[in-house]
């Protein structure tokens, strides 16, 4: 099996629970850019107010080009970590994966192991299964 690469990492972002972010993109793609921008502003405001799901989405906005925000791997991982620390499973998965490759954060397989184990232990079947796969591929039992 292949180990995590930056390209595979971008696929991981698709596992995020980002319904509001998808709504913003749908508005923009339908030609209603103003509605899309307002939805992104709402996500940002909810993130600043401490909503873990919005914090995770805000991190995803920083991680990708084209979300009306300056792309920054570091800011993405900072927001994911804040959300993960609040117990939001999709971001526990995202920050665990980020630690594997050093995406905006120093590579640290021991921290990756810890975050992915929390994800595996969660009741979120989708993220738990994906985390288990990354955990096994990167042989995190060795850390």
């Amino acid at each position: 099996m292949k180990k995590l690469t930056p390209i595979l990492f971008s696929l991981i972002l698709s596992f995020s629970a980002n319904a509001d972010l998808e709504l913003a993109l749908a508005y923009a793609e339908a030609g209603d850019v103003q509605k899309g921008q307002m939805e992104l502003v709402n996500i940002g405001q909810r993130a600043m107010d401490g909503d873990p799901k919005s914090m995770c989405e805000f991190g995803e906005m920083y991680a990708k080009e084209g979300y009306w925000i300056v792309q920054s791997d570091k800011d993405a991982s900072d927001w994911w970590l804040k959300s993960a620390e609040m117990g939001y499973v999709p971001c526990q998965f995202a920050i665990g994966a980020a630690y594997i490759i050093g995406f905006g954060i120093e590579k640290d397989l021991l921290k990756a192991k810890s975050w992915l184990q929390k994800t595996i232990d969660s009741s979120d079947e989708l993220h738990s299964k994906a985390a288990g796969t990354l955990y096994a591929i990167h042989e995190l039992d060795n850390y």
Side-chain angles (χ1 to χ4, degrees), residues 69-88:
I69 198 166
V70 176
Q71 196 276 336
S72 168
D73 297 350
K74 182 185 180 326
D75 287 333
S77 63
D78 287 348
W79 281 103
W80 289 335
L81 184 58
K82 289 175 188 180
S83 177
E85 288 171 341
M86 294 178 78
Y88 191 62

Side-chain angles (χ1 to χ4, degrees), residues 1-72:
M1 287 189 142
K2 282 187 160 184
K3 291 199 175 188
L4 189 62
T5 65
I7 292 170
L8 291 175
F9 182 71
S10 68
L11 293 174
I12 284 173
L13 295 178
S14 67
F15 282 105
S16 296
N18 58 359
D20 297 325
L21 188 53
E22 289 174 6
L23 179 61
L25 293 173
Y27 283 142
E29 289 170 3
D32 198 342
V33 174
Q34 186 175 7
K35 252 186 175 174
Q37 289 173 332
M38 285 308 302
E39 189 60 38
L40 292 174
V41 168
N42 290 335
I43 292 167
Q45 185 59 53
R46 289 190 303 266
M48 299 291 183
D49 290 343
D51 176 66
K53 179 180 183 283
S54 295
M55 294 165 106
C56 196
E57 291 177 328
F58 207 46
E60 186 171 344
M61 288 165 58
Y62 273 111
K64 293 183 178 179
E65 296 278 342
Y67 281 2
W68 300 292
I69 198 166
V70 176
Q71 196 276 336
S72 168

